[in-house]
Amino acid sequence: MIPSDFFRGRRLRSSLAMRELVRENAVTANDLIMPYFVVETDDDSFKKEISSMPGQYQLSLKQLKIKVGEAVADGLKACILFGIPAEKDDVGSGAYDDKGIVQKAIRLLKDTWPELVVIADTCLCEYTSHGHCGLVKNEYVQNDPTLNLLAKAAVAQARAGADMVAPSDMMDGRVAAIRAALDEEGFINTPIMSYAVKYASAFYGPFREAAESAPQFGDRKTYQMDPPNVREAMREAVADLEEGADILMVKPGQPYLDIVRMVRDTFDTPVAVYQVSGEYSMIKAAAQNDWIDEMGVVMESLAGFKRAGADLILTYFTEDVLKVLK
């Protein structure tokens, strides 16, 4: 005889409608931020697929407008911009030039879609000839001398119309420097989404091609976090909040869900997570070999971010997911 007092979880899984009725977490268009790579070029037709990131492109301003327009029609709410200048130098001057490529892209997008939340990645690595995120002396990345340049970049981005700046460099004290500079220039309402917990990860490989930002010597392990560390993540998050961060980001995503959960449980501020280039490329490669159901894996991974406590998800799958949600 079968006992009648055991748990029957299947009662609430009996149909799609039933499963959706009791679903605990859901991914919506409001959760997603699409990264774009915009190139400084006179060729309006420039649209170059990134070989290690199938389906992602380096785009001219005109092609960026076309891509963003398609995504907005599908429900895009927010994007983040990475710039690739025509020329680089050892001080990353394109990052804080009012006529720099990201500043041009910000103006273009905000003039066309005022309600679109346009976020600017605030860093020097895409603009420096050496590929590092700060000023370099004797092949060592200088912390304090870099802060003023990051602050100048954030102000230039805000002046161009950025709704939010996102410092990704991991220099100590950069949030405080950026907050002070923004406030001094009258941008007291421009929020900072800090890459607060950014690990020196092997998952960034394809991004180096996309942003043309591979270091010309050494690596970034002296300023990005050591992957085995957990307690250090909390110290970094606390420091950024005390310095004026409005949103805390964890990067990468899937391998660091424990960190996302710890940040969520510790702080009341919004939490973002970045599903980085390596995560994207691995899913794409497996799907192209018919080893997985691409969108099934994508949606499951995004649900995992939400389940871990993320409020916002930066993912290169945003455009595809918007079509599914639509």
Side-chain angles (χ1 to χ4, degrees):
M1 183 176 178
I2 300 175
S4 60
D5 58 351
F6 55 83
F7 172 64
R8 289 193 178 273
R10 293 181 61 180
R11 288 173 180 156
L12 298 181
R13 304 175 199 141
S14 59
S15 66
L16 175 59
M18 183 68 76
R19 293 191 296 274
E20 290 180 340
L21 186 67
V22 298
R23 187 161 288 163
E24 298 174 25
N25 294 281
V27 176
T28 74
N30 294 324
D31 303 322
L32 303 174
I33 299 171
M34 178 66 194
Y36 289 104
F37 300 96
V38 59
V39 178
E40 188 172 21
T41 176
D42 293 328
D43 181 3
D44 286 344
S45 65
F46 186 85
K47 180 182 179 182
K48 180 183 177 183
E49 187 170 28
I50 300 161
S51 62
S52 57
M53 299 178 67
Q56 301 302 308
Y57 299 87
Q58 293 179 336
L59 303 163
S60 68
L61 285 170
K62 182 176 182 179
Q63 296 302 314
L64 173 70
K65 184 176 180 180
I66 292 171
K67 284 286 285 181
V68 172
E70 293 170 349
V72 168
D74 286 331
L76 181 70
K77 306 293 185 182
C79 66
I80 185 167
L81 298 175
F82 298 89
I84 304 167
E87 296 182 4
K88 303 187 179 192
D89 55 39
D90 59 358
V91 295
S93 59
Y96 43 88
D97 184 346
D98 282 330
K99 297 181 180 178
I101 183 58
V102 161
Q103 283 71 268
K104 290 180 181 178
I106 293 167
R107 294 187 189 99
L108 173 66
L109 297 185
K110 292 303 296 182
D111 286 346
T112 310
W113 299 284
E115 298 305 313
L116 179 68
V117 176
V118 178
I119 305 165
D121 178 79
T122 308
C123 195
L124 302 184
C125 64
E126 300 118 272
Y127 306 91
T128 55
S129 52
H130 47 72
H132 278 285
C133 300
L135 296 176
V136 171
K137 183 178 181 180
N138 298 325
E139 295 198 351
Y140 183 78
V141 177
Q142 305 293 300
N143 191 92
D144 294 11
T146 299
L147 301 183
N148 182 54
L149 300 187
L150 293 169
K152 288 175 63 177
V155 169
Q157 293 164 347
R159 193 157 46 224
D163 296 290
M164 188 183 302
V165 297
S168 59
D169 55 285
M170 286 298 284
M171 297 298 119
D172 297 336
R174 89 271 201 210
V175 173
I178 289 171
R179 184 72 272 159
L182 289 172
D183 291 354
E184 184 176 346
E185 293 295 322
F187 298 108
I188 60 173
N189 291 320
T190 300
I192 298 173
M193 178 170 66
S194 171
Y195 290 63
V197 184
K198 181 178 180 180
Y199 287 89
S201 172
F203 283 85
Y204 301 149
F207 181 91
R208 307 287 185 246
E209 177 194 356
E212 298 183 8
S213 61
Q216 298 303 299
F217 61 88
D219 53 41
R220 296 186 173 130
K221 294 181 180 179
T222 64
Y223 46 101
Q224 294 177 1
M225 285 180 51
D226 195 18
N229 290 2
V230 176
R231 295 189 301 272
E232 182 185 4
M234 296 300 104
R235 293 199 298 272
E236 290 284 358
V238 167
D240 283 9
L241 278 179
E242 291 177 346
E243 291 176 21
D246 300 282
I247 300 173
L248 299 174
M249 187 196 301
V250 176
K251 181 181 181 183
Q254 210 78 45
Y256 296 89
L257 291 179
D258 59 324
I259 306 300
V260 176
R261 171 47 61 187
M262 288 185 67
V263 173
R264 170 72 291 143
D265 288 346
T266 306
F267 307 106
D268 291 331
T269 189
V271 176
V273 64
Y274 201 140
Q275 186 176 46
V276 300
S277 60
E279 298 173 73
Y280 173 89
S281 296
M282 288 192 297
I283 292 173
K284 278 289 185 181
Q288 288 178 348
N289 282 282
D290 292 325
W291 294 338
I292 60 171
D293 169 8
E294 179 176 332
M295 287 313 299
V297 169
V298 169
M299 297 306 294
E300 189 173 335
S301 68
L302 300 187
F305 295 137
K306 294 292 291 184
R307 198 174 60 246
D311 300 292
L312 303 171
I313 304 169
L314 291 79
T315 175
Y316 301 98
F317 289 111
T318 292
E319 293 177 341
D320 297 331
V321 173
L322 289 174
K323 288 180 171 61
V324 172
L325 297 177
K326 185 179 178 181

